[in-house]
Amino acid sequence: DLVGKSLGECEMILVELQLKIGKINYQPSFAILPNTIIDQYPSKGVLLNPGDGVDLFVTKNVEIKEEVSEETK
């Protein structure tokens, strides 16, 4: 179960298990620290073969863009 761990932690765990990171899907989040795993596929409990990839859903910073009105330009 990789959910709640950091991306770096997951990489070390997967290497130990002879697995690799598959696709990384970044999801914006205000509440969770960046590079935190919020989901994985396949989910925990699924048997994998050595060399298989695990897709990760990872939080990223939300960029707050300030809108500049026409009057202030």
Side-chain angles (χ1 to χ4, degrees):
D1 187 16
L2 303 173
V3 175
K5 295 181 174 26
S6 71
L7 186 55
E9 239 181 321
C10 288
E11 192 170 14
M12 290 188 305
I13 291 169
L14 292 174
V15 166
E16 286 177 22
L17 297 173
Q18 298 179 350
L19 299 171
K20 62 183 181 179
I21 293 177
K23 293 180 187 174
I24 297 178
N25 301 289
Y26 286 97
Q27 307 288 320
S29 174
F30 285 105
I32 303 172
L33 288 173
N35 293 321
T36 301
I37 308 305
I38 54 174
D39 202 3
Q40 69 185 64
Y41 180 81
S43 58
K44 84 172 188 178
V46 174
L47 293 177
L48 299 172
N49 294 313
D52 283 352
V54 177
D55 295 343
L56 302 173
F57 295 83
V58 183
T59 58
K60 69 175 184 176
N61 277 334
V62 176
E63 294 180 22
I64 300 173
K65 295 179 182 175
E66 291 185 29
E67 291 190 23
V68 179
S69 67
E70 290 297 317
E71 293 113 27
T72 60
K73 285 186 178 179

